Amino acid sequence: MAQGKVPDVSELLQPTLTAFHELGGIAGTFMVDETVIENLGLPQKIVKRPHLPGASRSEVSYRIAWARTYLKNFGLIENPQQGLWQLTPLG
């Protein structure tokens, strides 16, 4: 990943799946985001970049959310309740 660049969703798929494994297979949205960010060693200037001007959500968090959505569509994770995600047997 280029320094100073927010990773693309495709670059976040494997790190997001890895985060679930590291977190015991089930975790809240915040913990998944934090684990992915830490594992990738993203600098704070990237982590703090807002998704939209004035938005409270960061672009990294927005893209990790899309990575979770793709992983869910692939059948690797599920969302049993709002804000909670877990690996499926396939994941």
Side-chain angles (χ1 to χ4, degrees), residues 36-78:
V36 170
I37 289 165
E38 181 179 314
N39 287 349
L40 293 177
L42 296 176
Q44 284 300 303
K45 71 178 188 173
I46 297 300
V47 172
K48 298 292 184 188
R49 188 173 297 163
H51 171 57
L52 297 171
S56 61
R57 185 174 207 178
S58 73
E59 183 64 23
V60 171
S61 177
Y62 177 78
R63 293 183 187 188
I64 293 171
W66 271 108
R68 283 192 306 271
T69 298
Y70 282 114
L71 292 172
K72 181 180 177 185
N73 290 342
F74 299 150
L76 300 173
I77 64 173
E78 59 189 4

mmCIF file of all heavy atoms in Angstrom, residues 36-78:
data_model
loop_
_atom_site.group_PDB
_atom_site.id
_atom_site.type_symbol
_atom_site.label_atom_id
_atom_site.label_comp_id
_atom_site.label_asym_id
_atom_site.label_seq_id
_atom_site.Cartn_x
_atom_site.Cartn_y
_atom_site.Cartn_z
ATOM 1 N N VAL A 36 -7.689 -3.905 12.219
ATOM 2 C CA VAL A 36 -7.228 -3.748 10.843
ATOM 3 C C VAL A 36 -6.248 -2.572 10.761
ATOM 4 O O VAL A 36 -5.161 -2.703 10.185
ATOM 5 C CB VAL A 36 -8.408 -3.543 9.875
ATOM 6 C CG1 VAL A 36 -7.919 -3.146 8.483
ATOM 7 C CG2 VAL A 36 -9.274 -4.793 9.800
ATOM 8 N N ILE A 37 -6.618 -1.457 11.340
ATOM 9 C CA ILE A 37 -5.766 -0.261 11.304
ATOM 10 C C ILE A 37 -4.416 -0.535 11.955
ATOM 11 O O ILE A 37 -3.360 -0.186 11.415
ATOM 12 C CB ILE A 37 -6.482 0.926 11.982
ATOM 13 C CG1 ILE A 37 -7.646 1.394 11.084
ATOM 14 C CG2 ILE A 37 -5.526 2.063 12.300
ATOM 15 C CD1 ILE A 37 -8.635 2.306 11.779
ATOM 16 N N GLU A 38 -4.437 -1.185 13.103
ATOM 17 C CA GLU A 38 -3.192 -1.502 13.817
ATOM 18 C C GLU A 38 -2.335 -2.479 13.011
ATOM 19 O O GLU A 38 -1.130 -2.278 12.854
ATOM 20 C CB GLU A 38 -3.514 -2.096 15.184
ATOM 21 C CG GLU A 38 -2.295 -2.422 16.003
ATOM 22 C CD GLU A 38 -2.646 -2.993 17.366
ATOM 23 O OE1 GLU A 38 -3.532 -2.435 18.026
ATOM 24 O OE2 GLU A 38 -2.033 -4.001 17.738
ATOM 25 N N ASN A 39 -2.959 -3.541 12.491
ATOM 26 C CA ASN A 39 -2.200 -4.544 11.736
ATOM 27 C C ASN A 39 -1.560 -3.961 10.481
ATOM 28 O O ASN A 39 -0.475 -4.389 10.090
ATOM 29 C CB ASN A 39 -3.091 -5.730 11.366
ATOM 30 C CG ASN A 39 -3.405 -6.611 12.557
ATOM 31 O OD1 ASN A 39 -2.822 -6.478 13.625
ATOM 32 N ND2 ASN A 39 -4.348 -7.510 12.379
ATOM 33 N N LEU A 40 -2.239 -3.016 9.849
ATOM 34 C CA LEU A 40 -1.693 -2.401 8.645
ATOM 35 C C LEU A 40 -0.714 -1.273 8.958
ATOM 36 O O LEU A 40 -0.023 -0.791 8.062
ATOM 37 C CB LEU A 40 -2.822 -1.872 7.760
ATOM 38 C CG LEU A 40 -3.731 -2.924 7.137
ATOM 39 C CD1 LEU A 40 -4.855 -2.265 6.350
ATOM 40 C CD2 LEU A 40 -2.940 -3.873 6.249
ATOM 41 N N GLY A 41 -0.674 -0.850 10.214
ATOM 42 C CA GLY A 41 0.236 0.219 10.605
ATOM 43 C C GLY A 41 -0.069 1.534 9.913
ATOM 44 O O GLY A 41 0.842 2.273 9.544
ATOM 45 N N LEU A 42 -1.359 1.815 9.747
ATOM 46 C CA LEU A 42 -1.749 3.041 9.051
ATOM 47 C C LEU A 42 -1.429 4.264 9.904
ATOM 48 O O LEU A 42 -1.730 4.297 11.091
ATOM 49 C CB LEU A 42 -3.249 3.015 8.732
ATOM 50 C CG LEU A 42 -3.701 1.918 7.779
ATOM 51 C CD1 LEU A 42 -5.218 1.952 7.626
ATOM 52 C CD2 LEU A 42 -3.017 2.052 6.433
ATOM 53 N N PRO A 43 -0.830 5.281 9.290
ATOM 54 C CA PRO A 43 -0.512 6.504 10.038
ATOM 55 C C PRO A 43 -1.786 7.271 10.394
ATOM 56 O O PRO A 43 -2.799 7.187 9.684
ATOM 57 C CB PRO A 43 0.364 7.306 9.077
ATOM 58 C CG PRO A 43 0.099 6.753 7.731
ATOM 59 C CD PRO A 43 -0.359 5.336 7.908
ATOM 60 N N GLN A 44 -1.719 8.036 11.463
ATOM 61 C CA GLN A 44 -2.876 8.785 11.949
ATOM 62 C C GLN A 44 -3.431 9.753 10.907
ATOM 63 O O GLN A 44 -4.636 9.970 10.855
ATOM 64 C CB GLN A 44 -2.538 9.533 13.245
ATOM 65 C CG GLN A 44 -2.476 8.628 14.456
ATOM 66 C CD GLN A 44 -3.802 7.934 14.701
ATOM 67 O OE1 GLN A 44 -4.836 8.569 14.866
ATOM 68 N NE2 GLN A 44 -3.773 6.613 14.704
ATOM 69 N N LYS A 45 -2.576 10.315 10.055
ATOM 70 C CA LYS A 45 -3.087 11.246 9.045
ATOM 71 C C LYS A 45 -4.015 10.530 8.067
ATOM 72 O O LYS A 45 -4.926 11.137 7.525
ATOM 73 C CB LYS A 45 -1.955 11.958 8.311
ATOM 74 C CG LYS A 45 -1.150 11.109 7.369
ATOM 75 C CD LYS A 45 -0.097 11.929 6.659
ATOM 76 C CE LYS A 45 0.569 11.097 5.577
ATOM 77 N NZ LYS A 45 1.472 11.895 4.777
ATOM 78 N N ILE A 46 -3.823 9.229 7.869
ATOM 79 C CA ILE A 46 -4.714 8.435 7.020
ATOM 80 C C ILE A 46 -5.946 8.016 7.818
ATOM 81 O O ILE A 46 -7.074 8.101 7.342
ATOM 82 C CB ILE A 46 -3.986 7.194 6.470
ATOM 83 C CG1 ILE A 46 -2.820 7.599 5.588
ATOM 84 C CG2 ILE A 46 -4.939 6.271 5.728
ATOM 85 C CD1 ILE A 46 -3.197 8.427 4.394
ATOM 86 N N VAL A 47 -5.729 7.560 9.032
ATOM 87 C CA VAL A 47 -6.820 7.071 9.886
ATOM 88 C C VAL A 47 -7.837 8.169 10.172
ATOM 89 O O VAL A 47 -9.041 7.909 10.241
ATOM 90 C CB VAL A 47 -6.248 6.490 11.204
ATOM 91 C CG1 VAL A 47 -7.355 6.146 12.182
ATOM 92 C CG2 VAL A 47 -5.381 5.273 10.907
ATOM 93 N N LYS A 48 -7.379 9.393 10.315
ATOM 94 C CA LYS A 48 -8.259 10.511 10.684
ATOM 95 C C LYS A 48 -8.934 11.183 9.487
ATOM 96 O O LYS A 48 -9.793 12.037 9.677
ATOM 97 C CB LYS A 48 -7.465 11.565 11.466
ATOM 98 C CG LYS A 48 -6.886 11.057 12.763
ATOM 99 C CD LYS A 48 -7.973 10.753 13.759
ATOM 100 C CE LYS A 48 -7.358 10.343 15.083
ATOM 101 N NZ LYS A 48 -8.335 9.856 16.019
ATOM 102 N N ARG A 49 -8.562 10.803 8.271
ATOM 103 C CA ARG A 49 -9.137 11.444 7.081
ATOM 104 C C ARG A 49 -10.642 11.163 7.034
ATOM 105 O O ARG A 49 -11.064 10.015 7.008
ATOM 106 C CB ARG A 49 -8.461 10.907 5.835
ATOM 107 C CG ARG A 49 -8.855 11.648 4.569
ATOM 108 C CD ARG A 49 -8.050 11.202 3.383
ATOM 109 N NE ARG A 49 -6.640 11.519 3.599
ATOM 110 C CZ ARG A 49 -5.645 10.981 2.898
ATOM 111 N NH1 ARG A 49 -5.894 10.113 1.954
ATOM 112 N NH2 ARG A 49 -4.397 11.330 3.142
ATOM 113 N N PRO A 50 -11.483 12.204 7.030
ATOM 114 C CA PRO A 50 -12.934 11.988 7.044
ATOM 115 C C PRO A 50 -13.437 11.414 5.723
ATOM 116 O O PRO A 50 -12.855 11.660 4.663
ATOM 117 C CB PRO A 50 -13.514 13.380 7.287
ATOM 118 C CG PRO A 50 -12.466 14.331 6.838
ATOM 119 C CD PRO A 50 -11.143 13.632 7.026
ATOM 120 N N HIS A 51 -14.513 10.657 5.797
ATOM 121 C CA HIS A 51 -15.131 10.098 4.599
ATOM 122 C C HIS A 51 -15.675 11.225 3.718
ATOM 123 O O HIS A 51 -15.480 11.223 2.511
ATOM 124 C CB HIS A 51 -16.238 9.115 4.981
ATOM 125 C CG HIS A 51 -17.067 8.663 3.839
ATOM 126 N ND1 HIS A 51 -16.531 8.046 2.729
ATOM 127 C CD2 HIS A 51 -18.392 8.754 3.602
ATOM 128 C CE1 HIS A 51 -17.497 7.774 1.869
ATOM 129 N NE2 HIS A 51 -18.634 8.194 2.375
ATOM 130 N N LEU A 52 -16.362 12.140 4.323
ATOM 131 C CA LEU A 52 -16.890 13.322 3.643
ATOM 132 C C LEU A 52 -16.495 14.545 4.456
ATOM 133 O O LEU A 52 -16.294 14.438 5.673
ATOM 134 C CB LEU A 52 -18.417 13.250 3.535
ATOM 135 C CG LEU A 52 -18.996 12.101 2.720
ATOM 136 C CD1 LEU A 52 -20.505 12.035 2.894
ATOM 137 C CD2 LEU A 52 -18.635 12.252 1.253
ATOM 138 N N PRO A 53 -16.402 15.712 3.839
ATOM 139 C CA PRO A 53 -16.074 16.914 4.620
ATOM 140 C C PRO A 53 -17.053 17.085 5.799
ATOM 141 O O PRO A 53 -18.262 17.029 5.619
ATOM 142 C CB PRO A 53 -16.227 18.047 3.599
ATOM 143 C CG PRO A 53 -16.003 17.399 2.270
ATOM 144 C CD PRO A 53 -16.570 16.011 2.409
ATOM 145 N N GLY A 54 -16.498 17.222 6.975
ATOM 146 C CA GLY A 54 -17.303 17.420 8.173
ATOM 147 C C GLY A 54 -17.894 16.146 8.759
ATOM 148 O O GLY A 54 -18.562 16.183 9.777
ATOM 149 N N ALA A 55 -17.644 15.005 8.133
ATOM 150 C CA ALA A 55 -18.203 13.737 8.619
ATOM 151 C C ALA A 55 -17.436 13.243 9.837
ATOM 152 O O ALA A 55 -16.241 13.485 9.981
ATOM 153 C CB ALA A 55 -18.157 12.683 7.523
ATOM 154 N N SER A 56 -18.129 12.534 10.712
ATOM 155 C CA SER A 56 -17.471 11.962 11.883
ATOM 156 C C SER A 56 -16.830 10.612 11.547
ATOM 157 O O SER A 56 -15.938 10.163 12.251
ATOM 158 C CB SER A 56 -18.470 11.800 13.030
ATOM 159 O OG SER A 56 -19.513 10.930 12.640
ATOM 160 N N ARG A 57 -17.262 9.972 10.484
ATOM 161 C CA ARG A 57 -16.719 8.672 10.099
ATOM 162 C C ARG A 57 -15.499 8.873 9.195
ATOM 163 O O ARG A 57 -15.519 9.680 8.271
ATOM 164 C CB ARG A 57 -17.778 7.878 9.351
ATOM 165 C CG ARG A 57 -17.341 6.478 9.015
ATOM 166 C CD ARG A 57 -18.469 5.701 8.405
ATOM 167 N NE ARG A 57 -18.261 4.301 8.684
ATOM 168 C CZ ARG A 57 -19.089 3.363 8.332
ATOM 169 N NH1 ARG A 57 -20.197 3.656 7.704
ATOM 170 N NH2 ARG A 57 -18.843 2.107 8.618
ATOM 171 N N SER A 58 -14.462 8.090 9.464
ATOM 172 C CA SER A 58 -13.260 8.200 8.644
ATOM 173 C C SER A 58 -13.421 7.410 7.349
ATOM 174 O O SER A 58 -14.228 6.481 7.255
ATOM 175 C CB SER A 58 -12.043 7.679 9.416
ATOM 176 O OG SER A 58 -12.086 6.263 9.507
ATOM 177 N N GLU A 59 -12.607 7.772 6.376
ATOM 178 C CA GLU A 59 -12.621 7.054 5.102
ATOM 179 C C GLU A 59 -12.172 5.614 5.293
ATOM 180 O O GLU A 59 -12.712 4.701 4.670
ATOM 181 C CB GLU A 59 -11.738 7.764 4.072
ATOM 182 C CG GLU A 59 -11.753 7.138 2.703
ATOM 183 C CD GLU A 59 -13.108 7.188 2.004
ATOM 184 O OE1 GLU A 59 -13.947 8.047 2.338
ATOM 185 O OE2 GLU A 59 -13.327 6.373 1.090
ATOM 186 N N VAL A 60 -11.205 5.387 6.178
ATOM 187 C CA VAL A 60 -10.740 4.020 6.450
ATOM 188 C C VAL A 60 -11.884 3.197 7.034
ATOM 189 O O VAL A 60 -12.134 2.066 6.585
ATOM 190 C CB VAL A 60 -9.521 4.017 7.394
ATOM 191 C CG1 VAL A 60 -9.179 2.611 7.836
ATOM 192 C CG2 VAL A 60 -8.329 4.675 6.734
ATOM 193 N N SER A 61 -12.576 3.721 8.011
ATOM 194 C CA SER A 61 -13.702 3.010 8.620
ATOM 195 C C SER A 61 -14.789 2.712 7.588
ATOM 196 O O SER A 61 -15.360 1.619 7.568
ATOM 197 C CB SER A 61 -14.275 3.833 9.775
ATOM 198 O OG SER A 61 -15.402 3.197 10.328
ATOM 199 N N TYR A 62 -15.061 3.670 6.718
ATOM 200 C CA TYR A 62 -16.051 3.490 5.657
ATOM 201 C C TYR A 62 -15.649 2.332 4.744
ATOM 202 O O TYR A 62 -16.467 1.477 4.405
ATOM 203 C CB TYR A 62 -16.169 4.793 4.869
ATOM 204 C CG TYR A 62 -17.099 4.734 3.694
ATOM 205 C CD1 TYR A 62 -18.481 4.810 3.866
ATOM 206 C CD2 TYR A 62 -16.608 4.620 2.401
ATOM 207 C CE1 TYR A 62 -19.335 4.765 2.779
ATOM 208 C CE2 TYR A 62 -17.456 4.579 1.314
ATOM 209 C CZ TYR A 62 -18.822 4.645 1.507
ATOM 210 O OH TYR A 62 -19.669 4.602 0.431
ATOM 211 N N ARG A 63 -14.387 2.282 4.372
ATOM 212 C CA ARG A 63 -13.921 1.223 3.472
ATOM 213 C C ARG A 63 -13.860 -0.137 4.161
ATOM 214 O O ARG A 63 -14.122 -1.164 3.538
ATOM 215 C CB ARG A 63 -12.583 1.606 2.855
ATOM 216 C CG ARG A 63 -12.724 2.795 1.911
ATOM 217 C CD ARG A 63 -11.442 3.140 1.229
ATOM 218 N NE ARG A 63 -11.591 4.376 0.468
ATOM 219 C CZ ARG A 63 -10.676 4.843 -0.355
ATOM 220 N NH1 ARG A 63 -9.537 4.194 -0.525
ATOM 221 N NH2 ARG A 63 -10.884 5.976 -0.999
ATOM 222 N N ILE A 64 -13.524 -0.158 5.447
ATOM 223 C CA ILE A 64 -13.550 -1.428 6.187
ATOM 224 C C ILE A 64 -14.991 -1.929 6.277
ATOM 225 O O ILE A 64 -15.244 -3.135 6.198
ATOM 226 C CB ILE A 64 -12.903 -1.286 7.582
ATOM 227 C CG1 ILE A 64 -11.402 -1.008 7.444
ATOM 228 C CG2 ILE A 64 -13.128 -2.547 8.411
ATOM 229 C CD1 ILE A 64 -10.714 -0.628 8.749
ATOM 230 N N ALA A 65 -15.936 -1.012 6.431
ATOM 231 C CA ALA A 65 -17.357 -1.404 6.445
ATOM 232 C C ALA A 65 -17.730 -2.081 5.125
ATOM 233 O O ALA A 65 -18.455 -3.088 5.111
ATOM 234 C CB ALA A 65 -18.240 -0.193 6.702
ATOM 235 N N TRP A 66 -17.248 -1.538 4.012
ATOM 236 C CA TRP A 66 -17.515 -2.176 2.723
ATOM 237 C C TRP A 66 -16.830 -3.533 2.640
ATOM 238 O O TRP A 66 -17.381 -4.488 2.083
ATOM 239 C CB TRP A 66 -17.091 -1.270 1.572
ATOM 240 C CG TRP A 66 -18.200 -0.366 1.170
ATOM 241 C CD1 TRP A 66 -18.285 0.983 1.382
ATOM 242 C CD2 TRP A 66 -19.407 -0.734 0.501
ATOM 243 N NE1 TRP A 66 -19.476 1.459 0.895
ATOM 244 C CE2 TRP A 66 -20.183 0.433 0.338
ATOM 245 C CE3 TRP A 66 -19.913 -1.940 0.031
ATOM 246 C CZ2 TRP A 66 -21.432 0.423 -0.273
ATOM 247 C CZ3 TRP A 66 -21.165 -1.946 -0.588
ATOM 248 C CH2 TRP A 66 -21.899 -0.779 -0.728
ATOM 249 N N ALA A 67 -15.619 -3.648 3.188
ATOM 250 C CA ALA A 67 -14.929 -4.941 3.207
ATOM 251 C C ALA A 67 -15.764 -5.963 3.984
ATOM 252 O O ALA A 67 -15.918 -7.109 3.541
ATOM 253 C CB ALA A 67 -13.535 -4.798 3.817
ATOM 254 N N ARG A 68 -16.326 -5.548 5.125
ATOM 255 C CA ARG A 68 -17.200 -6.461 5.886
ATOM 256 C C ARG A 68 -18.414 -6.861 5.052
ATOM 257 O O ARG A 68 -18.821 -8.021 5.066
ATOM 258 C CB ARG A 68 -17.669 -5.810 7.194
ATOM 259 C CG ARG A 68 -16.630 -5.787 8.281
ATOM 260 C CD ARG A 68 -17.244 -5.409 9.627
ATOM 261 N NE ARG A 68 -17.996 -4.161 9.570
ATOM 262 C CZ ARG A 68 -17.478 -2.959 9.778
ATOM 263 N NH1 ARG A 68 -16.195 -2.829 10.062
ATOM 264 N NH2 ARG A 68 -18.236 -1.883 9.719
ATOM 265 N N THR A 69 -18.986 -5.917 4.327
ATOM 266 C CA THR A 69 -20.146 -6.221 3.489
ATOM 267 C C THR A 69 -19.789 -7.257 2.423
ATOM 268 O O THR A 69 -20.540 -8.217 2.210
ATOM 269 C CB THR A 69 -20.690 -4.938 2.830
ATOM 270 O OG1 THR A 69 -21.124 -4.054 3.861
ATOM 271 C CG2 THR A 69 -21.847 -5.238 1.889
ATOM 272 N N TYR A 70 -18.658 -7.082 1.771
ATOM 273 C CA TYR A 70 -18.229 -8.067 0.772
ATOM 274 C C TYR A 70 -17.981 -9.429 1.415
ATOM 275 O O TYR A 70 -18.393 -10.463 0.877
ATOM 276 C CB TYR A 70 -16.983 -7.591 0.031
ATOM 277 C CG TYR A 70 -17.263 -6.563 -1.030
ATOM 278 C CD1 TYR A 70 -16.793 -5.264 -0.894
ATOM 279 C CD2 TYR A 70 -17.998 -6.877 -2.162
ATOM 280 C CE1 TYR A 70 -17.043 -4.307 -1.864
ATOM 281 C CE2 TYR A 70 -18.264 -5.930 -3.134
ATOM 282 C CZ TYR A 70 -17.782 -4.647 -2.980
ATOM 283 O OH TYR A 70 -18.042 -3.703 -3.942
ATOM 284 N N LEU A 71 -17.315 -9.448 2.557
ATOM 285 C CA LEU A 71 -17.062 -10.723 3.240
ATOM 286 C C LEU A 71 -18.369 -11.400 3.629
ATOM 287 O O LEU A 71 -18.490 -12.623 3.563
ATOM 288 C CB LEU A 71 -16.173 -10.502 4.465
ATOM 289 C CG LEU A 71 -14.731 -10.075 4.167
ATOM 290 C CD1 LEU A 71 -14.015 -9.695 5.459
ATOM 291 C CD2 LEU A 71 -13.972 -11.161 3.414
ATOM 292 N N LYS A 72 -19.356 -10.607 4.014
ATOM 293 C CA LYS A 72 -20.684 -11.152 4.323
ATOM 294 C C LYS A 72 -21.317 -11.728 3.061
ATOM 295 O O LYS A 72 -21.866 -12.836 3.077
ATOM 296 C CB LYS A 72 -21.576 -10.066 4.925
ATOM 297 C CG LYS A 72 -22.968 -10.559 5.288
ATOM 298 C CD LYS A 72 -23.800 -9.437 5.874
ATOM 299 C CE LYS A 72 -25.219 -9.925 6.158
ATOM 300 N NZ LYS A 72 -26.067 -8.828 6.611
ATOM 301 N N ASN A 73 -21.233 -10.995 1.959
ATOM 302 C CA ASN A 73 -21.793 -11.484 0.693
ATOM 303 C C ASN A 73 -21.095 -12.751 0.209
ATOM 304 O O ASN A 73 -21.720 -13.587 -0.447
ATOM 305 C CB ASN A 73 -21.717 -10.397 -0.380
ATOM 306 C CG ASN A 73 -22.665 -9.251 -0.111
ATOM 307 O OD1 ASN A 73 -23.609 -9.375 0.665
ATOM 308 N ND2 ASN A 73 -22.416 -8.115 -0.744
ATOM 309 N N PHE A 74 -19.817 -12.907 0.521
ATOM 310 C CA PHE A 74 -19.068 -14.111 0.166
ATOM 311 C C PHE A 74 -19.378 -15.275 1.111
ATOM 312 O O PHE A 74 -18.918 -16.391 0.893
ATOM 313 C CB PHE A 74 -17.554 -13.865 0.202
ATOM 314 C CG PHE A 74 -17.050 -12.819 -0.746
ATOM 315 C CD1 PHE A 74 -15.919 -12.084 -0.424
ATOM 316 C CD2 PHE A 74 -17.680 -12.538 -1.951
ATOM 317 C CE1 PHE A 74 -15.422 -11.109 -1.284
ATOM 318 C CE2 PHE A 74 -17.192 -11.563 -2.819
ATOM 319 C CZ PHE A 74 -16.057 -10.849 -2.480
ATOM 320 N N GLY A 75 -20.131 -15.016 2.198
ATOM 321 C CA GLY A 75 -20.489 -16.059 3.152
ATOM 322 C C GLY A 75 -19.419 -16.346 4.184
ATOM 323 O O GLY A 75 -19.472 -17.369 4.867
ATOM 324 N N LEU A 76 -18.441 -15.438 4.343
ATOM 325 C CA LEU A 76 -17.338 -15.661 5.278
ATOM 326 C C LEU A 76 -17.615 -15.105 6.670
ATOM 327 O O LEU A 76 -17.041 -15.589 7.654
ATOM 328 C CB LEU A 76 -16.049 -15.050 4.718
ATOM 329 C CG LEU A 76 -15.610 -15.619 3.361
ATOM 330 C CD1 LEU A 76 -14.424 -14.836 2.826
ATOM 331 C CD2 LEU A 76 -15.282 -17.090 3.485
ATOM 332 N N ILE A 77 -18.449 -14.083 6.750
ATOM 333 C CA ILE A 77 -18.852 -13.532 8.044
ATOM 334 C C ILE A 77 -20.353 -13.294 8.013
ATOM 335 O O ILE A 77 -20.977 -13.295 6.949
ATOM 336 C CB ILE A 77 -18.109 -12.219 8.399
ATOM 337 C CG1 ILE A 77 -18.443 -11.097 7.410
ATOM 338 C CG2 ILE A 77 -16.617 -12.449 8.503
ATOM 339 C CD1 ILE A 77 -17.882 -9.732 7.800
ATOM 340 N N GLU A 78 -20.922 -13.117 9.195
ATOM 341 C CA GLU A 78 -22.338 -12.788 9.308
ATOM 342 C C GLU A 78 -22.505 -11.698 10.355
ATOM 343 O O GLU A 78 -21.598 -11.422 11.125
ATOM 344 C CB GLU A 78 -23.172 -14.023 9.640
ATOM 345 C CG GLU A 78 -22.788 -14.715 10.926
ATOM 346 C CD GLU A 78 -23.470 -16.054 11.117
ATOM 347 O OE1 GLU A 78 -24.193 -16.494 10.216
ATOM 348 O OE2 GLU A 78 -23.264 -16.649 12.182
#
